[in-house]
Amino acid sequence: MSAVDFYAHVAVAGEVLGAGLDAGPGAWEAALGATCLDVPGDGLLRRDYGLVEINFSPDRPGRHGQMRRGQMSCFGFGVKIQRLLYDQSPRTVPPPLLRTYGEFTPRVPFEQLRTAVLDLGRTIELDERGTSNDMYCYRVSASAARIHVVADPDPYGPGDPDPDGHQKGDVWSIDVW
């Protein structure tokens, strides 16, 4: 398996090593480990694993409508691929992902991810509401995932993109809400 396989799985299945929407912090810790940064605020919790960032809220109804008082559950998470270009420290990719998928490169061409998603039987469509001058947004069929792709790597600069930075067509992130 490869990092592209991981990204395609997230885009199609909406989960990371078995943890996804509605899962509590304990399920995410079981999947990705205990090494993370917890950022609480306004009754919410953002858990940052480097490549993967999860958002939790309290007392959210579960999949079957039951309230889980006193518990937190995931209401959204993102795979922040853009971080790999500028932070290549060993802690950026959680060890369970490295063991399962191998090396994670700092750049992922959208066409590679599109092919992998199509191979899993899904389609990808441009989401014009989420698209801007510098970022394309794509929706994966039958999934809560959105794939963000660099449209203009230097939207506010002189038009000379950094050759070591992001390029047009790089996947920026995959967000599941």
Side-chain angles (χ1 to χ4, degrees):
M1 295 222 261
S2 70
V4 173
D5 294 325
F6 167 67
Y7 299 137
H9 177 79
V10 169
V12 168
E15 59 98 13
V16 174
L17 299 176
L21 297 176
D22 294 329
W28 281 94
E29 186 173 319
L32 295 176
T35 304
C36 62
L37 174 65
D38 281 345
V39 182
D42 294 329
L44 303 175
L45 172 65
R46 181 173 56 88
R47 178 165 281 180
D48 190 341
Y49 282 95
L51 178 63
V52 180
E53 185 175 287
I54 305 113
N55 296 288
F56 299 96
S57 66
D59 298 330
R60 187 167 178 263
R63 282 202 167 118
H64 303 290
Q66 75 278 12
M67 293 299 285
R68 299 182 299 196
R69 301 255 178 241
Q71 295 182 16
M72 297 195 90
S73 60
C74 172
F75 67 87
F77 70 93
V79 178
K80 307 301 183 181
I81 301 163
Q82 81 275 10
R83 292 180 178 176
L84 296 175
L85 192 60
Y86 301 108
D87 184 358
Q88 297 178 11
S89 65
R91 69 182 184 278
T92 304
V93 178
L97 291 178
L98 288 170
R99 284 191 299 274
T100 304
Y101 294 98
E103 180 184 354
F104 282 71
T105 61
R107 252 193 206 95
V108 178
F110 176 63
E111 288 308 315
Q112 283 183 3
L113 179 56
R114 178 197 301 263
T115 298
V117 168
L118 294 174
D119 287 348
L120 292 173
R122 299 293 175 89
T123 60
I124 296 179
E125 297 176 9
L126 185 65
D127 180 355
E128 297 206 19
R129 291 178 301 177
T131 293
S132 64
N133 290 337
D134 60 338
M135 198 71 60
Y136 297 119
C137 180
Y138 293 91
R139 186 178 60 78
V140 178
S141 64
S143 170
R146 298 292 186 270
I147 301 170
H148 301 276
V149 178
V150 176
D152 182 352
D154 189 27
Y156 309 108
D160 299 323
D162 176 1
D164 298 322
H166 288 287
Q167 304 297 312
K168 182 176 182 173
D170 284 351
V171 177
W172 183 263
S173 67
I174 302 168
D175 295 301
V176 179
W177 297 93

